[in-house]
Amino acid sequence: MHMKINFILVGLVVILMASCAVRKTSNNGMSDLIGKQWQLVELQGEGVSAKVNGKIPFLKLDEENGRYSASGGCNGIGGEYTLQKNNGITFSRGMSTMMACADMRVENELRTLFEEADTYIVNEGTLILSKGKDGAALAKFILVSDQSDKLAGTWELDYIIESGDFNTLYSSRKPTIIFDMAEKKVNGNSSCNNFSGNVKIDGHAISFGPLMSTKMACPGNGEQVFFKNIERVTGFDVQDSVLTMMMDDIAIMRWKKK
């Protein structure tokens, strides 16, 4: 009886050790892969434009819920992914939007990619998906650099869309914004009232809110135009001392570093 129990215990230990080994292997290089934005640059051996239908084609693997999101420049594609030992990966298709766009080639091939790919390699900011370790690359992605560290500090508004004459709109005071990256907060002045709130940044994607402000009565409609447009912002780009905020691919606000 005691011998039988010992055999059972030994068996359980072996199973647990094997399970831990598989998990450790499957996590190899995982921190370099998941939770990052990857831009599609090559598909089935052909180069992919930086924007398709005006949008950046991308892939992102979420760490918390084991799901991926992607786009070939038209619809949002998503589902679940599983990492396996020896750099194995599998994708299962979930729900996606069903818009029709002018260029559907990249999106159609991207859907096929997720059915075929079973191996990944990450090396110096490049992600390659292939079928089999020795198979040809099915797709190549490059890491979208995180520019959030460039946002820290104070910025003064220099341009805003739909404003008419900018200098007349903000004749007394130009709006300012200050980023606190450690707290993921912003504060500033709308040209009249002070405001503060949260900011969410993911690669080049950015969104604000909710924003709270003081309630002083303001002349003109400069403040109204400011809040209307900052709530529409979906992306940003920083070049030297210039911050451009965009709605999709349209520049709607431009700031200069103070």
Side-chain angles (χ1 to χ4, degrees), residues 119-153:
T119 305
Y120 74 91
I121 297 175
V122 178
N123 184 30
E124 296 183 351
T126 299
L127 164 65
I128 295 176
L129 294 179
S130 61
K131 186 173 180 61
K133 292 192 66 174
D134 299 322
L138 299 175
K140 182 184 294 185
F141 301 80
I142 58 172
L143 182 64
V144 177
S145 60
D146 184 3
Q147 290 194 326
S148 61
D149 59 329
K150 297 181 180 180
L151 289 173

Side-chain angles (χ1 to χ4, degrees), residues 32 40 48 72 93 122 124 127 138 141 143 147 149 160 164-165 169 179-180 207 244 249:
D32 295 330
L40 180 66
V48 174
R93 186 183 299 183
V122 178
E124 296 183 351
L127 164 65
L138 299 175
F141 301 80
L143 182 64
Q147 290 194 326
D149 59 329
I160 192 166
D165 183 64
L169 193 68
F179 289 84
D180 183 344
S207 60
T244 303
D249 58 345

Side-chain angles (χ1 to χ4, degrees), residues 133-188:
K133 292 192 66 174
D134 299 322
L138 299 175
K140 182 184 294 185
F141 301 80
I142 58 172
L143 182 64
V144 177
S145 60
D146 184 3
Q147 290 194 326
S148 61
D149 59 329
K150 297 181 180 180
L151 289 173
T154 303
W155 301 83
E156 184 177 75
L157 191 66
D158 183 58
Y159 163 83
I160 192 166
I161 198 171
E162 302 174 0
S163 65
D165 183 64
F166 180 84
N167 292 324
T168 300
L169 193 68
Y170 300 112
S171 57
S172 298
R173 184 177 185 179
K174 295 180 181 179
T176 56
I177 189 168
I178 301 171
F179 289 84
D180 183 344
M181 302 314 303
E183 298 294 329
K184 297 181 181 179
K185 302 281 187 181
V186 292
N187 67 82

Side-chain angles (χ1 to χ4, degrees), residues 18 21-28 82-89 118-120 133:
V22 170
R23 283 197 293 271
K24 184 177 179 180
T25 305
S26 65
N27 289 340
N28 183 32
T82 303
L83 297 180
Q84 298 154 345
K85 62 181 181 180
N86 299 323
N87 291 81
I89 188 169
D118 59 14
T119 305
Y120 74 91
K133 292 192 66 174

Side-chain angles (χ1 to χ4, degrees), residues 40 43-44 58-59 68 70-79 91-101 103-117 129 138-139 141:
L40 180 66
L43 191 58
Q44 302 293 350
F58 74 92
L59 167 66
Y68 71 92
S71 173
C74 184
N75 289 284
I77 304 170
F91 299 90
S92 61
R93 186 183 299 183
M95 300 293 291
S96 67
T97 55
M98 299 296 291
M99 292 188 302
C101 300
D103 184 356
M104 299 291 289
R105 181 190 65 84
V106 173
E107 178 171 314
N108 291 335
E109 291 185 1
L110 196 60
R111 292 180 187 274
T112 302
L113 166 73
F114 294 132
E115 295 174 357
E116 296 181 353
L129 294 179
L138 299 175
F141 301 80

Side-chain angles (χ1 to χ4, degrees), residues 4-71:
K4 184 177 181 180
I5 292 174
N6 288 336
F7 275 123
I8 292 173
L9 290 174
V10 171
L12 288 172
V13 170
V14 171
I15 290 171
L16 288 171
M17 291 177 63
S19 175
C20 291
V22 170
R23 283 197 293 271
K24 184 177 179 180
T25 305
S26 65
N27 289 340
N28 183 32
M30 190 170 67
S31 62
D32 295 330
L33 172 67
I34 62 177
K36 295 176 169 56
Q37 188 95 346
W38 296 96
Q39 180 177 341
L40 180 66
V41 294
E42 186 177 303
L43 191 58
Q44 302 293 350
E46 296 185 8
V48 174
S49 300
K51 289 189 176 182
V52 180
N53 301 312
K55 299 179 181 180
I56 297 174
F58 74 92
L59 167 66
K60 183 175 181 181
L61 283 71
D62 193 286
E63 181 176 8
E64 293 183 2
N65 57 24
R67 298 186 64 82
Y68 71 92
S69 57
S71 173

